[in-house]
Amino acid sequence: MQELQTDNLEILRNSFMFQLSLASKELFHSNFLYALWLSDKDNFFEILKLLGLEIPVSNGPYIAKREYNNYDFCIAKDNNPDKGIKNDNIILVLENKVKSVPLKSQLDRYSKKFTSTTPIFVLLTLTEEFQQKEEIKKNWKIITYRELIEALRKVTWNGETLKYVLDYCTFMQAFSAEMNSRVFNPDGEYKSYINSNRYKALRIHDIYEKIGMFQILEYVCKDLKKDGYNIDWSLEGKTKYIFKQNNLKDKEIFVNSDYTSTGGGGLLELKIPFDNNTILVIQVQGLSYRHCIEYNADFKEEFKDTFMWFFDTGSTEYIDGKDDENFNQFKKNKKWIYFPKREVKWVNFKKFGDKFLYQELIIPDKLTIKDLSEIISRDIELIFKNRQEQL
């Protein structure tokens, strides 16, 4: 992992606009674009042109909106000011990704809202590498914040606007450089890769961890694909979606990465439908490695014994056969919480009650990302093996 750029952090710390942006990390940037629109529409169209987004000014007048129909920012022909805008009038839709990683499934939902017209779809993203990027490119023009900053600096600004643009460009250049500076190395320690302590004072540790967990999950999924598994990135945490898509004959794995402040930070999870009412989950969050069960029906006591194999063996069954310090340390840390013999005292995730149960162990210091991927792959194999025996 590259050394953290102290200069970038100092720039962020001293930026007036950066401190203001922390109140609403994505809405702030949409508001900034809107302020530029109000300040100088000609300059705004020049920025679009520099970014390869030419809109004929003579076809106006135009109106810009924030948060219309869940679009972060959009431009529409101002055909009927009294009635506002409609999808048919919109010529550009911009989805803004600062605090999260772009998801094709979300972008597809927005583009499918347009049936009779096709506006220019723009994805403005802080993260420069993400899953399904080539697929997204087919319908969306991808613009990074680094590219936006370059365009802003090429335009001539006057008066008060110039001061704000300069501050914005300075802090966003530092922010983008810092968030995209990590070099992914599967042989590096997992714990070090997700360590975000340096960013907590600036309140951008959540973004840093989210990007890191996404990159790790992407690496894990590449290994799983080699083993013949199908990966579905459309999850977004929705259990109902999995049951709707469920085909128990397929080697389908539903994956997701996120950040939750209540659960322990950056999160990745892999979900496998085990039967018509049950999903088994491998979850990594912070230093916790979890086996989880989600139910789509009323909880029954016998479920505990039915899935005892998932907790009795799981990761450590694989580790037993490894003569490796990292794996042995992982085995020593096998402290499944609330697990006395076969009388399992399950932990309920409060949001779902007894619909979501889990047990966890602590990931040791020296375990590499590659090691972690191997452990996940082995647990996935175990789940599919037991599911096949049940079918």
Side-chain angles (χ1 to χ4, degrees), residues 278-283 289-295 299 302-318 320 334-348 356-361 379 382-383 386:
T278 315
I279 296 172
L280 299 187
V281 186
I282 303 298
Q283 193 178 86
Y289 185 92
R290 301 184 185 121
H291 283 183
C292 319
I293 298 179
E294 287 189 49
Y295 294 107
F299 178 77
E302 55 264 32
F303 284 175
K304 295 178 181 179
D305 290 331
T306 301
F307 294 103
M308 188 59 64
W309 58 267
F310 189 38
F311 296 98
D312 252 349
T313 55
S315 319
T316 53
E317 181 184 72
Y318 174 53
D320 282 338
K334 184 190 177 186
K335 297 177 181 178
W336 294 111
I337 57 177
Y338 304 110
F339 196 88
K341 296 183 180 179
R342 294 187 65 81
E343 295 178 2
V344 181
K345 189 174 182 181
W346 302 81
V347 182
N348 294 350
F356 188 100
L357 309 174
Y358 73 92
Q359 294 179 319
E360 66 183 10
L361 53 79
D379 280 351
L382 182 68
I383 292 172
N386 279 271

Side-chain angles (χ1 to χ4, degrees), residues 14 24 30 70 89 92 99 109 132 137 146 190 202 207 243 258 263 361:
N14 293 329
S24 53
S30 298
N70 292 324
N89 297 339
L92 183 145
K99 69 175 183 178
R109 285 201 305 271
Q132 297 180 291
K137 276 183 179 180
R146 176 178 52 81
Y190 163 80
L202 292 173
I207 304 170
F243 284 115
D258 206 343
L361 53 79

Side-chain angles (χ1 to χ4, degrees), residues 33-34 37 41 44-48 53-57 59-68 71-79 85-95 114 117-122:
L33 291 175
Y34 187 68
W37 170 270
K41 290 185 179 63
F44 197 96
F45 282 112
E46 180 64 21
I47 293 168
L48 295 180
L53 303 168
E54 290 200 47
I55 297 175
V57 179
N59 290 352
Y62 297 106
I63 186 172
K65 289 285 186 180
R66 294 160 294 178
E67 303 300 320
Y68 168 76
Y71 312 139
D72 289 337
F73 182 89
C74 66
I75 299 175
K77 289 185 178 181
D78 195 9
N79 294 340
I85 66 172
K86 297 180 180 179
N87 268 11
D88 290 348
N89 297 339
I90 295 176
I91 62 167
L92 183 145
V93 172
L94 185 145
E95 175 64 15
F114 294 85
T117 61
T118 304
I120 300 170
F121 294 109
V122 179

Side-chain angles (χ1 to χ4, degrees), residues 51-310:
L51 294 170
L53 303 168
E54 290 200 47
I55 297 175
V57 179
S58 59
N59 290 352
Y62 297 106
I63 186 172
K65 289 285 186 180
R66 294 160 294 178
E67 303 300 320
Y68 168 76
N69 205 14
N70 292 324
Y71 312 139
D72 289 337
F73 182 89
C74 66
I75 299 175
K77 289 185 178 181
D78 195 9
N79 294 340
N80 198 335
D82 294 334
K83 293 186 178 180
I85 66 172
K86 297 180 180 179
N87 268 11
D88 290 348
N89 297 339
I90 295 176
I91 62 167
L92 183 145
V93 172
L94 185 145
E95 175 64 15
N96 196 358
K97 289 296 180 187
V98 176
K99 69 175 183 178
S100 55
V101 178
L103 278 175
K104 183 177 181 295
S105 56
Q106 182 192 30
L107 298 173
D108 286 345
R109 285 201 305 271
Y110 292 155
S111 59
K112 287 177 182 178
K113 291 182 180 182
F114 294 85
T115 54
S116 59
T117 61
T118 304
I120 300 170
F121 294 109
V122 179
L123 170 62
L124 179 59
T125 174
L126 179 71
T127 308
E128 297 185 3
E129 296 299 329
F130 43 88
Q131 180 66 25
Q132 297 180 291
K133 184 176 179 179
E134 293 304 313
E135 289 296 309
I136 291 172
K137 276 183 179 180
K138 294 177 181 179
N139 295 313
W140 289 74
K141 168 74 172 178
I142 299 174
I143 296 173
T144 66
Y145 267 93
R146 176 178 52 81
E147 292 169 326
L148 174 62
I149 295 309
E150 290 174 0
L152 285 172
R153 284 183 165 147
K154 291 178 180 178
V155 175
T156 301
W157 302 95
N158 298 313
E160 284 290 303
T161 305
L162 175 61
K163 178 176 66 176
Y164 296 124
V165 169
L166 288 176
D167 191 358
Y168 185 82
C169 288
T170 300
F171 96 73
M172 279 307 295
Q173 181 178 2
F175 194 12
S176 175
E178 195 64 44
M179 292 299 104
N180 291 289
S181 65
R182 271 187 294 187
V183 176
F184 185 82
N185 177 16
D187 293 319
E189 290 184 8
Y190 163 80
K191 183 177 179 181
S192 297
Y193 194 75
I194 64 163
N195 186 347
S196 65
N197 290 338
R198 291 287 296 274
Y199 297 108
K200 288 184 177 178
L202 292 173
R203 292 172 55 198
I204 55 174
H205 59 287
D206 52 347
I207 304 170
Y208 185 81
E209 288 186 35
K210 186 179 289 189
I211 293 173
M213 295 304 278
F214 179 86
Q215 291 170 336
I216 293 171
L217 180 58
E218 186 176 34
Y219 174 78
V220 170
C221 289
K222 285 181 180 178
D223 280 352
L224 291 171
K225 282 183 179 180
K226 292 177 184 177
D227 294 331
Y229 294 104
N230 300 316
I231 306 298
D232 190 326
W233 286 84
S234 305
L235 174 57
E236 297 180 44
K238 294 178 173 58
T239 300
K240 290 182 179 179
Y241 172 82
I242 296 178
F243 284 115
K244 185 178 179 180
Q245 301 292 323
N246 182 13
N247 183 342
L248 294 177
K249 294 182 180 180
D250 293 337
K251 295 181 72 174
E252 192 101 20
I253 304 174
F254 300 85
V255 302
N256 183 44
S257 63
D258 206 343
Y259 178 93
T260 61
S261 57
T262 55
L267 165 76
L268 68 81
E269 55 186 0
L270 304 94
K271 298 189 176 186
I272 299 168
F274 192 82
D275 56 37
N276 291 328
N277 289 310
T278 315
I279 296 172
L280 299 187
V281 186
I282 303 298
Q283 193 178 86
V284 180
Q285 186 165 37
L287 298 182
S288 296
Y289 185 92
R290 301 184 185 121
H291 283 183
C292 319
I293 298 179
E294 287 189 49
Y295 294 107
N296 195 38
D298 293 334
F299 178 77
K300 297 178 181 179
E301 284 295 318
E302 55 264 32
F303 284 175
K304 295 178 181 179
D305 290 331
T306 301
F307 294 103
M308 188 59 64
W309 58 267
F310 189 38

